[in-house]
Amino acid sequence: MSRPLFPLAVLAVLLAGCAHADRQPAANTAAQAAARNKLETAIQNPARTPAFVARDGYRHPAQTLAFFGLSPNARVIEMNPGAGWYSEILAPYLQQEGHYVAALPQAAADSGAGRRNAALQAKFAQAPAQFAKAALLEYDPAAPVLGEANSADIVLTFRNVHNWVAADNAEAYFRAFFAVLKPGGVLGVVDHRAKPGTSLEAMKKSGYVTEASVIELATRAGFRLDGRSEVNANPLDSTEHPNGVWTLLPVARHEAGEAEKYRAIGESDRMTLRFVKP
């Protein structure tokens, strides 16, 4: 599958729209252009896994990271990166001026989480050109601590909150995000979006969570909602599937004869929320 290209002019508009006007003085134009070029280069990097690139049309990395205000000199913590989909973009982008931290939950080596952690560690070790400065941080999922207080510029979580809600420990995570971020730091959240009013029981079963529940978790931890984006929305997703969100791509847990039906829907409808630590 060919790589979707994001023209620099379009990316410039997206990046401009993700920040407040009073944070964009004219004197910074050259630096902003360089940051846009660097992000474009990271997304178009031929070293990215082809199967990951094929999902760009669903995950919209350029627009999403622009909305979260990513800059090349930021200290960024990504929660539970899984197979490293965003790691392949973030680590090279931050390698020269910034710092990328992949935060992994401590887990037994023979567990699913333990195997994912080991696979990501191996991925980093085998591709030093991409991950030479990337750091791995293992934390206790029962009481997460993500580094020194007030030390990070951005914390990012992609499709993790529904798991923490299901495990009844989401509040501990949001408190940890607040603690590690600097004042003015950004928490960026992308997750499967449930219909308003969906019960907690239904959220746990389906893997979809309501925007209201995520906003409540964040504000209770001390954050201020700073923006919403529909860049990862999918109006074709009814959110009502026999195996919850896992019915859809990329998991595709459904009857073989229904593959085309669910392929036509694509990936889940997702919220994209930006919070700021006051």
Side-chain angles (χ1 to χ4, degrees), residues 216-257:
E216 181 181 359
L217 284 165
T219 54
R220 190 182 301 160
F223 288 101
R224 172 177 58 82
L225 179 64
D226 191 55
R228 309 179 197 224
S229 172
E230 290 298 296
V231 66
N232 293 304
N234 180 1
L236 297 178
D237 179 16
S238 70
T239 76
E240 297 174 359
H241 312 297
N243 293 308
V245 71
W246 302 281
T247 308
L248 301 179
L249 294 169
V251 177
R253 190 180 300 162
H254 52 67
E255 298 293 333

Side-chain angles (χ1 to χ4, degrees), residues 93-170:
Y93 177 80
L94 296 165
Q95 189 161 266
Q96 291 182 332
E97 304 171 63
H99 193 54
Y100 171 72
V101 179
L104 309 175
Q106 296 169 356
D110 60 350
S111 67
R115 287 189 289 271
R116 285 193 295 273
N117 291 353
L120 190 67
Q121 291 169 351
K123 181 188 188 79
F124 282 15
Q126 292 164 7
Q130 289 176 275
F131 304 109
K133 288 181 60 181
L136 290 164
L137 168 71
E138 291 195 349
Y139 66 87
D140 179 358
V145 176
L146 304 174
E148 294 184 9
N150 306 313
S151 64
D153 298 297
I154 301 175
V155 172
L156 298 175
T157 171
F158 300 100
R159 297 164 39 243
N160 291 307
V161 177
H162 66 282
N163 292 320
W164 303 329
V165 168
D168 292 320
N169 64 345

Side-chain angles (χ1 to χ4, degrees), residues 26-238:
N28 288 339
T29 300
Q32 291 166 359
R36 291 193 294 269
N37 289 339
K38 182 171 284 192
L39 180 56
E40 178 72 8
T41 298
I43 292 169
Q44 300 303 325
N45 185 353
R48 287 182 65 203
T49 303
F52 290 0
V53 176
R55 296 181 64 201
D56 282 3
Y58 296 119
R59 303 197 69 176
H60 311 102
Q63 299 97 319
T64 300
L65 294 174
F67 177 72
F68 291 146
L70 183 70
S71 62
N73 63 349
R75 180 179 177 85
V76 177
I77 300 173
E78 183 189 1
M79 299 301 300
N80 302 13
W85 197 96
Y86 261 106
S87 303
E88 290 189 355
I89 297 171
L90 290 167
Y93 177 80
L94 296 165
Q95 189 161 266
Q96 291 182 332
E97 304 171 63
H99 193 54
Y100 171 72
V101 179
L104 309 175
Q106 296 169 356
D110 60 350
S111 67
R115 287 189 289 271
R116 285 193 295 273
N117 291 353
L120 190 67
Q121 291 169 351
K123 181 188 188 79
F124 282 15
Q126 292 164 7
Q130 289 176 275
F131 304 109
K133 288 181 60 181
L136 290 164
L137 168 71
E138 291 195 349
Y139 66 87
D140 179 358
V145 176
L146 304 174
E148 294 184 9
N150 306 313
S151 64
D153 298 297
I154 301 175
V155 172
L156 298 175
T157 171
F158 300 100
R159 297 164 39 243
N160 291 307
V161 177
H162 66 282
N163 292 320
W164 303 329
V165 168
D168 292 320
N169 64 345
E171 289 190 12
Y173 278 90
F174 280 82
R175 288 195 299 268
F177 303 155
F178 192 86
V180 77
L181 281 167
K182 300 173 183 178
V186 170
L187 168 62
V189 178
V190 176
D191 217 310
H192 313 298
R193 178 166 52 192
K195 293 178 179 178
T198 299
S199 70
L200 178 60
E201 180 182 0
M203 286 192 277
K204 289 182 175 183
K205 183 178 179 180
S206 70
Y208 291 91
V209 292
T210 62
E211 283 196 15
S213 65
V214 175
I215 293 169
E216 181 181 359
L217 284 165
T219 54
R220 190 182 301 160
F223 288 101
R224 172 177 58 82
L225 179 64
D226 191 55
R228 309 179 197 224
S229 172
E230 290 298 296
V231 66
N232 293 304
N234 180 1
L236 297 178
D237 179 16
S238 70

